Amino acid sequence: MTSRDPRAPELARLAGLIADETRAACLLALLDGRAWTAGELARHAGVAASTASEHLHRLVAGGVLAEERQGRHRYVRLADARVAQLVEDLAAQVAPGAVVRRPRGLRETSSGSAMARGRTCYDHFAGRLGIAVTDALTARGLLLPTSEPEGRAGVERSTARRPEGLSTGGLSTPAGAPRRRTSEERATGFALTDAGLRWFDSAGITLDRTSRRPLARACLDWTERRPHLAGVAGAALCRHALDVGWCVRIGSARAVKVTPEGERALSELLGIEAEALH
């Protein structure tokens, strides 16, 4: 008789934590990467504050959410990037035709359009904005999809030419030099090329090379149905864009919009046309 996988009980427990519409609504809201109060999440999910508190308590106890207290206020956020990835991946599995409820008014329609145009997916960009950035990085040879099979020797060659005016950032490996993909890169779907590392350095975007997270990771976009850039690089780019004013948040939701300054920067750095961002 085959023994049961010892991970089964923990998987069932985790699935049970998520398998509730109110808790799912809270988790999706928290994908904006910020901390929310129980009252804010209650209003978002359309339930009583006491009901929301009960659900949030279960999620905190189960390790899905982390709790923070400031004075009398209690905040919750997603426990870590792995939880965010799990929620986003599950949301991406919902078939486009499965959501049949029509928007309740112009405000909800506008909110949905803004989310599809550009939003944060925990700590990186998603929607058309995330896809436009990912496509531009890929087209310039700065980012490489790694889900495609390699050659017999398992070696890839970066064919990207370094964009004019970008410094080498102290990295001596020339563009075009062969480099073997690591097992982590093959598993995460994206890898930064050497030219990509130089691009981030020259753009003033610091990458935390000591992080245990993948440097680059493919995250399936639930509106575009294509992968966008996540991981350390995706988070650093998103954080930089918000810090310097290339993008601003819209209200309290996950939606973001690109500012005129951001349009100029993305055009100069990645050749992204403004039409692709709207």
Side-chain angles (χ1 to χ4, degrees):
M1 180 178 179
T2 304
S3 60
R4 186 166 61 177
D5 192 314
R7 297 172 297 178
E10 183 62 18
L11 179 59
R13 183 194 67 82
L14 179 60
L17 284 173
I18 299 174
D20 176 90
E21 188 172 343
T22 297
R23 292 196 289 274
C26 293
L27 291 172
L28 288 169
L30 289 166
L31 277 176
D32 68 355
R34 295 181 287 183
W36 290 50
T37 66
E40 290 170 336
L41 288 170
R43 289 189 291 273
H44 176 81
V47 298
S50 58
T51 301
S53 293
E54 181 180 345
H55 285 296
L56 295 176
H57 176 75
R58 289 191 60 181
L59 291 171
V60 170
V64 175
L65 298 184
E67 185 180 52
E68 300 176 3
R69 291 186 179 273
Q70 292 186 4
R72 296 181 303 166
H73 299 287
R74 172 198 177 207
Y75 296 86
V76 293
R77 64 169 67 247
L78 296 180
D80 53 36
R82 292 177 300 172
V83 173
Q85 179 182 345
L86 172 64
V87 175
E88 188 72 15
D89 287 348
L90 286 173
Q93 302 308 311
V94 179
V99 183
V100 296
R101 184 181 65 80
R102 293 181 178 274
R104 295 173 180 170
L106 179 60
R107 182 175 181 178
E108 189 169 333
T109 300
S110 299
S111 176
S113 297
M115 288 277 284
R117 184 166 53 247
R119 63 183 182 276
T120 53
C121 174
Y122 187 55
D123 60 0
H124 55 273
F125 287 132
R128 292 197 296 275
L129 170 60
I131 294 297
V133 169
T134 301
D135 285 350
L137 289 168
T138 303
R140 292 193 165 210
L142 309 177
L143 183 69
L144 189 70
T146 59
S147 56
E148 300 172 359
E150 297 179 301
R152 286 178 298 175
V155 172
E156 69 192 23
R157 182 175 296 272
S158 170
T159 58
R161 290 177 295 178
R162 178 165 54 88
E164 184 177 353
L166 292 185
S167 72
T168 61
L171 297 175
S172 59
T173 305
R179 182 171 67 83
R180 184 177 297 275
R181 298 178 193 166
T182 66
S183 58
E184 179 183 272
E185 289 172 338
R186 290 193 295 271
T188 57
F190 278 140
L192 285 178
T193 63
D194 293 326
L197 292 171
R198 291 193 292 270
W199 181 88
F200 272 86
D201 182 67
S202 296
I205 304 174
T206 302
L207 299 178
D208 181 6
R209 305 295 296 276
T210 65
S211 174
R212 297 177 62 182
R213 297 176 64 186
L215 190 59
R217 180 179 66 81
C219 178
L220 182 60
D221 196 293
W222 63 267
T223 53
E224 297 299 307
R225 302 288 154 172
R226 296 173 52 202
H228 55 242
L229 175 64
V232 171
L237 179 57
C238 177
R239 182 170 56 251
H240 181 81
L242 290 170
D243 287 346
V244 302
W246 293 354
C247 297
V248 293
R249 295 186 183 274
I250 303 175
S252 60
R254 296 164 54 194
V256 297
K257 68 176 181 180
V258 181
T259 64
E261 181 181 353
E263 290 181 358
R264 289 191 294 270
L266 292 175
S267 175
E268 293 172 2
L269 291 171
L270 290 172
I272 299 176
E273 297 183 359
E275 291 75 12
L277 304 173
H278 299 288

